[in-house]
């Protein structure tokens, strides 16, 4: 499985990471080695096998709909990188 | 010289506290004295909470004087892995992205430990976001193995393991996604339990891979593991995967004998890559277990060789999704950007370390359009077959016995540049998370170089007690767990 530099760049963009040239090269090679290692799964017959996504036997049940306190505004403000006028601030979301 | 109270187990400390030959304040002070003496060499902790610990200890002593003591953990100093949220106390996950994060709430396990009267000593080191097997991926420097300071304590709960092995805590909590409690327990000569998936609430555990993560104890012996599991387990409204437990308590159910138990050993576990000293130590554990009435049978787990490939698709996929929340918006590190996407990218690239980026990239790749069926879906199907193998084996066996790790502790730096070699150190532990079963690591010997070796017992879903029973009976007739590392004090009068 050959991975191009552009493949790694595209994945990094999806993951919202910006990688340096050195990182692109290193992660590309390592990703290729890891994907090569997991290729062995192709030898397993898996037709008709259901995928397993979770293992807890717990089932959903409704809880009583009672109001309970959440975080206070002061607690949210203390955590936020930028907070003004009762809001968490972020940079521009829409381009003009 | 009198034995320091810091070297006690939970049950020994509880007995001394009950007999009033020791107070919680004395015990807690002894633990912090020990921390001051050895922590410069071991680096088990990222954050200490001494002042609060002494206040908790004094409160525990007052409860005891008023005959309102809350049980075996009341007044006992316990360390917490730094991916468990603690109200008002920094919780970093050993990551620069959470360097200044102070949670506004406690994880459910922390709430339960506090309710049981435990004294919290501080937060222990780990591989960043629990990604690793050595603590070398911590953004704040590695922890060291108290048995040999040039070697890793294992990971990712390596700080918790090093703290307990060095008597810097009476016991600790860790988390286990692919072996992160069991592998460091084995490498540091401790008992470590990964409870059945669903037994312990994960609310407030910073998520790595949600279908695999489970919180559990690292302790000086198996009896302590039972005490801690009992304190933290059970249904929690805040975690929809947690289960309502029925029947006798873990400490009750793990008290009996093990006459007639059938233990399986998979032939696939003893192949190439297993260190001969580890093989001999695990094989040697059969003798005392047979004397205690267990019988052994060879079984087969044909999919064993596929467990690691499945794990390194499933775990990074879930991790890449879980770590999407670290975006610099509401909490954690933020770097300025001209627009929001640039802000995300700069914050995440500056905040995450190399292994974290590697796993996010791998996980994002295997979940991306065009590769989902080829990698992730295939792994989920193989996971079903792996699980069936284990369920079949546990129909004819009450428990399974395997090595915990392929080798004793490796040197710091030895595998740091080779992710695949590092991943191979989890070869005996990852299956258990993929199939959701409980597993217990128990010390079963030492290498010629004096490094601890552990064995792993794997049980049926929700039958954690049988493992604890086997481990406790084994420890009644062996003394591997009583050995202490030859750790020189680094304080005055030390080396």
């Amino acid at each position: 499985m050959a991975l191009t530099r552009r493949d790694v760049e595209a994945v990094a963009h999806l993951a919202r990471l910006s990688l340096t040239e050195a990182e692109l090269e290193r992660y590309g090679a390592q990703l290729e080695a890891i994907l090569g290692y997991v290729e062995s799964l192709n030898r397993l017959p898996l037709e008709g096998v259901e995928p397993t996504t979770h293992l807890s036997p717990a089932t959903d049940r409704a809880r009583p709909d009672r109001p309970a306190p959440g975080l206070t505004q002061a607690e949210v403000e203390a955590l936020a990188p930028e907070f003004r006028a009762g809001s968490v601030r972020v940079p521009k979301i829409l381009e003009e | 010289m009198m034995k320091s109270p810091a070297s006690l187990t939970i049950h020994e400390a509880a007995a001394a506290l009950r007999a009033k030959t020791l107070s919680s304040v004395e015990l807690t002070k002894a633990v912090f004295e020990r921390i001051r003496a050895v922590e410069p060499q071991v680096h088990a902790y990222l954050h200490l909470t001494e002042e609060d610990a002494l206040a908790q200890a004094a409160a525990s002593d007052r409860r005891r004087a008023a005959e309102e003591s809350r049980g075996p953990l009341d007044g006992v100093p316990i360390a917490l892995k730094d991916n468990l949220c603690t109200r008002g106390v920094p919780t970093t996950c050993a990551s620069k992205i959470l360097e200044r994060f102070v949670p506004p709430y406690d994880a459910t396990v922390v709430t339960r430990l506090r309710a049981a009267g435990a004294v919290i000593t501080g937060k222990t080191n780990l591989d960043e976001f629990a990604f690793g097997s050595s603590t070398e991926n911590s953004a704040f420097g590695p922890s060291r193995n108290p048995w040999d300071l040039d070697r890793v304590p294992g990971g990712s709960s390596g700080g918790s393991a090093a703290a307990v092995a060095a008597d810097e805590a009476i016991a600790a909590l860790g988390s286990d996604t692919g072996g992160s409690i069991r592998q460091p327990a084995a490498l540091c000569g401790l008992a470590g339990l990964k409870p059945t998936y669903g037994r312990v609430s994960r609310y407030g555990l910073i998520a790595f891979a949600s279908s695999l993560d489970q919180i559990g104890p690292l302790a000086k012996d198996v009896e302590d593991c039972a005490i801690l599991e009992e304190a933290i387990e059970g249904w929690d409204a805040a975690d929809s995967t947690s289960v309502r437990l029925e029947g006798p308590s873990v400490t009750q159910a793990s008290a009996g004998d093990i006459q007639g138990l059938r233990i399986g050993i998979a032939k696939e576990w003893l192949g190439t890559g297993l260190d001969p000293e580890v093989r001999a130590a695990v094989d040697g554990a059969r003798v005392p277990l047979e004397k205690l009435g267990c019988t052994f049978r060879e079984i087969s787990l044909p999919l064993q060789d596929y467990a690691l490939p499945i794990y390194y698709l499933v775990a990074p996929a879930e991790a890449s999704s879980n770590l999407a929340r670290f975006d610099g918006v509401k909490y954690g590190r933020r770097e300025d950007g001209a627009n929001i996407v640039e802000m995300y990218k700069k914050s995440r690239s500056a905040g995450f370390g190399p292994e974290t980026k590697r796993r996010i990239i791998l996980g994002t790749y295997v979940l991306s359009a065009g590769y989902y069926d080829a990698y992730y879906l295939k792994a989920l199907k193989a996971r079903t077959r792996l699980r069936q193998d284990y369920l079949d084996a546990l129909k004819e066996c009450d428990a399974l016995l395997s090595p915990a790790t392929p080798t004793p502790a490796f040197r710091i730096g030895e595998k740091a540049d080779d992710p695949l070699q590092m991943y191979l150190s989890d070869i005996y532990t990852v299956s258990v998370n993929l199939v959701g079963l409980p597993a217990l690591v128990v010390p079963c010997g030492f290498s010629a170089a004096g490094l601890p070796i552990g064995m792993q017992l794997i049980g049926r879903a929700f039958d954690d007690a049988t493992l604890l029973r086997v481990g406790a009976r084994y420890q009644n007739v062996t003394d591997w767990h009583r050995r202490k590392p030859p750790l020189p004090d680094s304080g005055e009068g030390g080396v």
Side-chain angles (χ1 to χ4, degrees):
Chain A
M1 164 92 232
L3 270 170
T4 65
R5 211 194 103 96
R6 280 185 58 178
D7 291 335
V8 184
E9 234 167 355
V11 174
H13 172 70
L14 289 174
R16 298 296 183 258
L17 291 170
S18 44
L19 301 182
T20 63
E21 284 300 316
E23 283 178 323
L24 277 172
E25 196 162 310
R26 188 166 72 244
Y27 290 140
Q30 288 172 340
L31 188 58
E32 208 167 295
I34 296 167
L35 291 174
Y37 175 68
V38 303
E39 285 290 319
S40 66
L41 284 180
N42 289 326
R43 293 200 299 267
L44 266 185
L46 294 170
E47 269 158 64
V49 179
E50 286 295 314
T52 294
T53 51
H54 67 93
L55 290 161
S56 171
T59 47
D60 293 338
R61 53 172 96 190
R63 60 170 164 77
D65 187 17
R66 284 198 219 98
L71 295 181
T72 63
Q73 196 180 59
E75 285 172 323
V76 174
E77 182 172 0
L79 290 170
E82 203 184 337
F83 194 88
R84 234 183 296 161
S87 306
V88 173
R89 306 261 309 175
V90 291
K92 196 159 45 174
I93 288 175
L94 297 173
E95 298 296 336
E96 278 154 33
Chain B
M1 199 179 87
M2 212 186 80
K3 206 165 98 165
S4 162
S7 66
L8 298 174
T9 63
I10 294 174
H11 56 92
E12 287 166 353
L17 290 166
R18 211 163 37 236
K20 304 215 166 108
T21 55
L22 178 71
S23 74
S24 175
V25 168
E26 286 165 348
L27 176 60
T28 304
K29 280 185 174 164
V31 167
F32 279 94
E33 267 167 41
R34 178 68 177 168
I35 290 172
R36 269 186 287 280
V38 301
E39 181 64 3
Q41 305 168 74
V42 178
H43 188 231
Y45 282 94
L46 293 177
H47 188 84
L48 292 166
T49 51
E50 183 168 8
E51 201 178 317
D52 188 49
L54 287 168
Q56 293 169 37
S60 170
D61 287 336
R62 284 195 297 275
R63 281 194 296 275
R64 199 170 298 276
E67 296 189 350
E68 286 167 0
S69 188
R70 296 173 184 170
L73 284 167
D74 201 340
V76 177
I78 306 289
L80 301 172
K81 187 177 183 179
D82 202 27
N83 60 354
L84 295 167
C85 284
T86 41
R87 185 185 171 93
V89 176
T91 301
T92 67
C93 261
S95 178
K96 293 218 184 276
I97 210 160
L98 288 177
E99 196 166 3
R100 279 178 282 280
F101 176 57
V102 180
Y105 67 100
D106 274 335
T108 297
V109 294
V110 177
T111 304
R112 288 185 180 175
L113 279 187
R114 290 195 199 282
V119 170
I120 308 300
T121 54
K123 308 297 290 291
T124 57
N125 198 15
L126 63 153
D127 290 289
E128 183 179 10
F129 288 104
F131 299 154
S133 313
S134 69
T135 71
E136 289 167 291
N137 297 327
S138 168
F140 309 115
S143 300
R144 289 168 183 275
N145 191 315
W147 291 91
D148 179 345
L149 295 168
D150 293 330
R151 291 176 188 268
V152 303
S156 65
S157 312
S160 285
V164 178
D167 292 332
E168 296 182 70
I170 302 300
L173 291 187
S175 64
D176 190 315
T177 305
S180 279
I181 288 172
R182 291 162 287 154
Q183 184 256 17
L187 268 41
C188 290
L190 302 175
L193 175 71
K194 197 228 39 116
T196 304
Y197 186 81
R199 229 179 146 106
V200 179
S201 166
R202 298 161 306 125
Y203 178 71
L205 166 67
I206 295 175
F208 164 1
S210 304
S211 81
L212 306 168
D213 295 341
Q214 196 68 188
I215 301 164
L218 296 101
K220 292 170 188 170
D221 68 14
V222 172
E223 195 177 335
D224 280 4
C225 283
I227 292 169
L228 271 174
E229 182 177 32
E230 190 160 310
I232 61 173
E233 70 180 3
W235 181 76
D236 175 17
D239 180 355
S240 64
T241 65
S242 70
V243 169
R244 286 172 203 272
L245 301 169
E246 285 158 9
S249 74
V250 169
T251 49
Q252 282 173 332
S254 57
D257 68 44
I258 53 173
Q259 187 68 43
L261 277 190
R262 301 159 303 171
I263 299 181
I265 298 184
K267 53 181 192 236
E268 290 83 0
W269 284 331
L270 306 172
T272 51
L274 178 60
D275 181 291
E277 286 187 308
V278 176
R279 179 203 295 256
V282 174
D283 204 47
R286 293 171 55 156
V287 178
L289 289 171
E290 275 168 352
K291 278 193 194 147
L292 290 162
C294 296
T295 57
F296 284 86
R297 56 186 68 193
E298 187 185 272
I299 57 151
S300 179
L301 295 168
L303 264 76
Q304 168 63 27
D305 286 348
Y306 297 96
L308 212 52
I310 298 169
Y311 180 82
Y312 276 96
L313 292 169
V314 171
E318 293 188 23
S320 70
S321 173
N322 270 322
L323 268 63
R325 75 189 52 166
F326 300 105
D327 56 8
V329 173
K330 287 179 289 193
Y331 58 93
R333 181 172 182 149
R334 179 190 289 191
E335 299 288 324
D336 289 336
N339 57 49
I340 194 139
V341 173
E342 197 184 305
M343 187 278 278
Y344 291 153
K345 284 188 174 180
K346 283 187 166 177
S347 303
R348 290 164 63 80
S349 302
F352 291 140
E355 178 66 18
T356 301
K357 289 180 189 169
R358 184 153 45 235
R359 299 225 190 173
I360 290 173
I361 290 167
L362 175 58
T364 305
Y365 183 81
V366 303
L367 288 177
S368 60
Y371 300 103
Y372 182 92
D373 286 0
Y375 292 108
Y376 186 61
L377 187 62
K378 209 169 274 175
L380 294 182
K381 288 179 175 177
R383 186 179 183 182
T384 304
R385 285 198 51 192
L386 180 73
R387 179 155 184 263
Q388 198 53 53
D389 274 9
Y390 274 81
L391 297 185
D392 289 346
L394 285 162
K395 274 182 199 144
E396 46 172 309
C397 299
D398 301 295
L400 310 176
L401 175 69
S402 82
T405 58
T407 66
F410 45 91
R411 284 198 170 74
I412 291 175
E414 190 178 325
K415 300 178 191 220
D417 294 329
D418 189 343
L420 264 177
Q421 275 309 309
M422 187 72 89
Y423 298 170
L424 283 169
S425 69
D426 296 330
I427 192 132
Y428 294 108
T429 49
V430 294
S431 303
V432 170
N433 302 77
L434 289 167
V435 301
L437 298 176
L440 173 73
V441 160
V442 183
C444 68
F446 282 80
S447 71
L451 298 170
I453 294 171
M455 62 178 178
Q456 173 176 243
L457 292 154
I458 304 168
R460 298 187 184 123
F462 295 97
D463 190 18
D464 306 35
T466 291
L467 306 180
L468 293 163
R469 189 151 52 99
V470 175
R473 294 301 78 75
Y474 174 79
Q475 291 196 327
N476 287 346
V477 298
T478 57
D479 62 1
W480 306 114
H481 60 293
R482 291 187 213 283
R483 294 201 194 174
K484 294 285 185 184
L487 191 63
D489 281 9
S490 53
E492 282 176 58
V495 279

